[in-house]
């Protein structure tokens, strides 16, 4: 079965720095890879999707890369702000009906 | 626009009691529907998904069941709850031609 690992359970960074989160997966490559944000006690909210034939995708201060050779996606938040503090989940979409989530990285941006 | 409603938001149930969590989606037709569970400090575990009325796929064999009596209604049930059923349950939907999954606000279940 597909296994998804997010590099660290928690990440603390200083405000204004770039946060980099890692998502690694095993087995077959997904058709899409998605990133979600989850605040405590809330449902996840979609942020970005990147397709297997795309190397990079950007949205405002967010950037996602996708390396199918390394089986890895990197999620960057530039000029981080305390409001960016949340848990970030990567999810693999096989193009079928399922979306498999990693365990998440809890990001804390320190003022 | 599409919305997803999930209830109840919080419940505390004794071991051995039944469970019913309900989810409805508005503003779309024939969505794929999902039930996920998130235990404390754990990732999202896919429990069930449905591509149509009466069509349920189970990802993890367990004490729970799901039903889809109407196109935009998805119900998670149990006849007898276990302590290990405690967790944060999330309903979600995805359009047939879409990729993004949209989540409800979740239901906190504590089995005591």
């Amino acid at each position: 079965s597909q296994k998804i690992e997010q590099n660290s359970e928690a990440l603390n960074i200083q405000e204004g720095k770039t946060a980099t989160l890692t998502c690694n997966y095993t087995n077959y490559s997904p058709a899409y890879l998605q990133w979600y944000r989850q605040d405590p006690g809330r449902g996840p909210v979609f942020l970005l999707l990147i397709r297997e034939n795309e190397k990079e995708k950007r949205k405002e201060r967010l950037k996602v890369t996708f390396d199918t050779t390394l089986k890895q996606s990197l999620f960057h938040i530039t000029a981080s702000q305390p409001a960016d503090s949340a848990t970030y989940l990567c999810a693999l979409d096989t193009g079928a009906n399922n979306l498999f989530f990693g365990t998440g990285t809890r990001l804390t941006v320190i003022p | 626009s599409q919305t997803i409603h999930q209830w109840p938001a919080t419940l505390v149930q004794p071991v051995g009691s039944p469970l019913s969590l309900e989810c409805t989606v508005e503003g779309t037709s024939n969505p794929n529907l999902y039930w996920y569970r998130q235990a404390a400090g754990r990732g999202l575990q896919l429990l069930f998904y449905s591509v149509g009325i009466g069509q349920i796929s189970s990802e993890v064999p367990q004490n729970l069941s799901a039903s889809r009596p109407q196109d935009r209604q998805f119900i998670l049930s149990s006849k007898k709850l276990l302590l290990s059923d405690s967790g944060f349950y999330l309903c979600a939907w995805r359009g047939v031609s879409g990729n993004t999954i949209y989540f409800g606000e979740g239901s906190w279940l504590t089995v005591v």
Side-chain angles (χ1 to χ4, degrees), chain A residues 34 42 93 97-99, chain B residues 34 36 38 49 94 99 105:
Chain A
Q34 304 187 30
R42 309 292 296 273
D93 187 342
N97 296 309
N98 299 349
L99 196 65
Chain B
Y34 305 83
Y36 285 87
Q38 189 173 37
Y49 71 90
R94 172 157 70 172
N99 302 113
E105 287 302 308

Side-chain angles (χ1 to χ4, degrees), chain A residues 19-87:
Chain A
T20 299
L21 285 63
T22 304
C23 177
N24 295 294
Y25 59 92
T26 59
N27 298 338
Y28 52 86
S29 285
Y32 314 95
L33 194 143
Q34 304 187 30
W35 284 89
Y36 288 74
R37 168 181 173 144
Q38 186 176 24
D39 290 289
R42 309 292 296 273
V45 175
F46 171 76
L47 295 175
L48 279 170
L49 176 151
I50 188 166
R51 293 176 169 77
E52 61 179 336
N53 61 349
E54 296 178 317
K55 295 293 185 185
E56 182 179 298
K57 183 72 74 75
R58 290 177 185 262
K59 179 182 176 183
E60 298 173 351
R61 294 186 294 110
L62 308 180
K63 184 178 83 171
V64 172
T65 62
F66 194 8
D67 189 326
T68 54
T69 301
L70 293 178
K71 296 190 175 182
Q72 181 181 82
S73 174
L74 299 179
F75 177 79
H76 306 273
I77 305 176
T78 58
S80 59
Q81 304 166 2
D84 295 327
S85 298
T87 296

